[in-house]
């Protein structure tokens, strides 16, 4: 493996882990955070956060000055912040880079996937990829391995990144459906909110049904948007359910559980934003999304969680599977 110069943007839980991981496997890593960021202040003082310790070789910076020297630019910020970040990069006339998006979400106002935001904003000489799939920082730093996926419209970019990033800790697979992978990855956080709500209402046994119906629901949306229905069964969505619907480390599951119990949860749960965007996409493409709509009604319309979830599982009787449209 040839060591690459990598500029990581975002010093939250996942961005800091990415810097830790890429440094660990031999790359030259700079980690960027805003000057006023509490996370960056802590890292600059101690080289640690609550999850891990960074090595001395990871360079911490609050400036974009050296972004042009990087081979790869990795972005790990809240999905609704991505437009601002890529606009900042574009303002510096950055060209010819591989830009890897390491977050899961959909822009609320436009319904754009994250790769679309980056492609719409950055110079066309830059190559865009996404890094998706299951895994928690708390497990990775203990040496617990997992599988993830890298996807891009550019086959050579996928091959380059997978060869550069694969290790004994993370095995990467080649994504084959950018639409399906991005929509599936974003939507699993909404299903995670629903799972947490079931936990909070002591209805956890229904999570098996939630998993089954959730994949079917999101598969329909992926297909309607021009993606491959089967992608929903891969690492982007179903393959991420254990980490999102069951893990104690899942912010989305924990948020859903706290929400129905009336307990404040102040950590980032991307599903809270994604549910707004995905319900809009469902209406745009004429796809019924009962689970996503139920989560939206509970969170944003003040509906009673127990009643809404009961109605969800009391829906009209129907066949479990539907005949898919011919390709």
């Amino acid at each position: 493996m040839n060591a690459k110069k990598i500029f990581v943007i975002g010093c939250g839980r996942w961005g800091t882990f990415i810097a830790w991981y890429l440094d660990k496997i031999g790359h030259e890593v700079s980690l960027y955070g805003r000057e006023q960021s509490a996370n960056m202040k802590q890292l600059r003082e101690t080289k640690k956060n609550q999850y891990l310790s960074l090595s001395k070789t990871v360079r911490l910076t609050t400036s974009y000055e050296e972004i042009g020297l990087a081979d790869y630019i990795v972005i790990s910020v809240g999905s609704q912040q991505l437009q601002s970040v890529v606009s900042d990069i574009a303002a510096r006339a950055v060209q010819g880079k591989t830009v890897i998006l390491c977050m899961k979400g959909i822009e609320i106002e436009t319904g754009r996937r994250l790769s679309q935001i980056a492609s719409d904003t950055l110079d066309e000489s830059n190559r865009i990829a996404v890094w998706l799939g299951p895994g928690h920082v708390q497990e990775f730093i203990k040496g617990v391995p997992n599988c993830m996926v890298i996807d891009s419209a550019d086959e050579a970019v996928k091959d380059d990144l997978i060869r550069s990033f694969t290790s004994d800790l993370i095995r990467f697979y080649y994504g084959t459906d950018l639409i399906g992978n991005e929509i599936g990855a974003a939507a699993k956080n909404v299903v995670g909110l629903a799972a947490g709500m079931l936990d909070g209402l002591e209805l956890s046994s229904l999570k098996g049904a939630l998993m089954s119906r959730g994949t079917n629901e999101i598969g329909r949306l992926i297909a309607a948007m021009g993606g491959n229905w089967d992608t929903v069964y891969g690492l982007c969505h179903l393959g991420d359910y254990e980490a999102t619907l069951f893990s104690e480390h899942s912010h989305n599951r924990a948020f859903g559980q706290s929400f129905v119990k009336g307990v404040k949860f102040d950590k980032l749960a991307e599903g809270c934003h994604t549910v707004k965007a995905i319900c809009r996409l469902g209406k745009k493409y004429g796809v019924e999304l009962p689970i996503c709509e139920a989560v939206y009604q509970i969170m944003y319309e003040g509906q009673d969680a127990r009643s809404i979830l009961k109605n969800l599982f009391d829906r009209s009787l129907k066949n479990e599977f539907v005949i898919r449209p011919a390709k």
Side-chain angles (χ1 to χ4, degrees):
M1 179 196 75
N2 293 324
K4 303 288 187 177
K5 291 184 178 180
I6 303 177
F7 195 90
V8 179
I9 299 173
C11 59
R13 176 175 65 162
W14 192 242
T16 304
F17 163 73
I18 289 169
W20 176 91
Y21 172 73
L22 295 176
D23 170 77
K24 179 182 174 65
I25 63 174
H27 296 292
E28 184 179 332
V29 180
S30 294
L31 175 61
Y32 168 87
R34 293 175 291 111
E35 185 77 42
Q36 64 270 34
S37 164
N39 291 333
M40 179 53 73
K41 288 178 181 177
Q42 181 180 358
L43 288 171
R44 295 180 89 174
E45 290 173 2
T46 67
K47 268 298 184 80
K48 298 178 181 179
N49 62 18
Q50 68 182 100
Y51 306 105
L52 55 80
S53 296
L54 293 173
S55 76
K56 294 179 179 179
T57 52
V58 175
R59 182 175 180 273
L60 301 176
T61 181
T62 58
S63 170
Y64 278 130
E65 286 183 7
E66 296 183 12
I67 196 170
L69 301 176
D71 299 303
Y72 301 152
I73 299 170
V74 177
I75 305 175
S76 178
V77 298
S79 61
Q80 306 310 307
Q81 298 174 281
L82 179 60
Q83 180 63 71
S84 175
V85 170
V86 292
S87 293
D88 285 344
I89 296 172
R92 288 162 173 78
V94 173
Q95 297 180 332
K97 307 298 181 184
T98 297
V99 179
I100 306 118
L101 308 177
C102 298
M103 64 271 239
K104 302 161 186 176
I106 304 166
E107 190 172 53
I108 296 172
E109 295 303 320
T110 66
R112 288 184 298 173
R113 305 188 324 274
L114 303 186
S115 68
Q116 290 177 307
I117 297 172
S119 296
D120 289 347
T121 308
L122 296 173
D123 186 88
E124 63 182 11
S125 67
N126 295 294
R127 302 165 295 276
I128 311 301
V130 297
W131 170 346
L132 303 167
H136 287 295
V137 173
Q138 294 92 326
E139 294 171 347
F140 279 132
I141 63 170
K142 293 178 182 177
V144 179
N146 216 322
C147 299
M148 305 188 81
V149 62
I150 286 176
D151 208 346
S152 173
D154 188 319
E155 293 295 324
V157 166
K158 283 190 284 189
D159 189 65
D160 177 46
L161 291 177
I162 288 172
R163 292 179 185 278
S164 295
F165 288 176
T166 292
S167 72
D168 291 340
L169 189 60
I170 303 178
R171 174 178 178 175
F172 287 95
Y173 283 81
Y174 289 79
T176 58
D177 175 20
L178 197 53
I179 293 173
N181 275 312
E182 289 191 87
I183 295 299
K188 65 92 188 178
N189 285 331
V190 179
V191 182
L193 292 175
M197 291 175 181
L198 291 176
D199 287 338
L201 296 171
E202 299 184 355
L203 297 171
S204 301
S205 62
L206 285 173
K207 287 202 285 189
L210 178 69
M211 292 169 64
S212 175
R213 302 316 302 163
T215 50
N216 191 58
E217 178 172 318
I218 303 306
R220 292 198 305 270
L221 178 61
I222 289 171
M225 293 179 67
N228 183 342
W229 187 317
D230 290 334
T231 301
V232 80
Y233 300 108
L235 290 167
C236 75
H237 191 81
L238 181 60
D240 207 348
Y241 270 7
E242 189 280 332
T244 306
L245 276 64
F246 296 93
S247 174
E248 63 178 324
H249 305 309
S250 169
H251 284 181
N252 289 283
R253 190 208 61 78
F255 183 96
Q257 183 176 28
S258 297
F259 189 89
V260 298
K261 288 186 170 185
V263 177
K264 184 178 180 180
F265 185 84
D266 57 5
K267 295 181 180 179
L268 175 66
E270 279 284 6
C272 299
H273 302 300
T274 301
V275 69
K276 294 180 179 180
I278 210 157
C279 286
R280 291 183 181 182
L281 287 176
K283 290 181 174 62
K284 177 180 178 179
Y285 289 95
V287 178
E288 191 176 13
L289 302 172
I291 294 171
C292 297
E293 291 287 352
V295 172
Y296 184 89
Q297 290 165 8
I298 293 166
M299 290 187 59
Y300 295 108
E301 296 181 353
Q303 299 293 317
D304 178 70
R306 189 175 292 275
S307 297
I308 289 293
L309 293 172
K310 181 179 185 301
N311 290 339
L312 179 64
F313 287 98
D314 283 348
R315 282 162 54 84
S316 59
L317 303 179
K318 59 182 69 177
N319 290 337
E320 180 179 9
F321 300 107
V322 296
I323 303 299
R324 300 186 195 175
K327 295 182 179 179

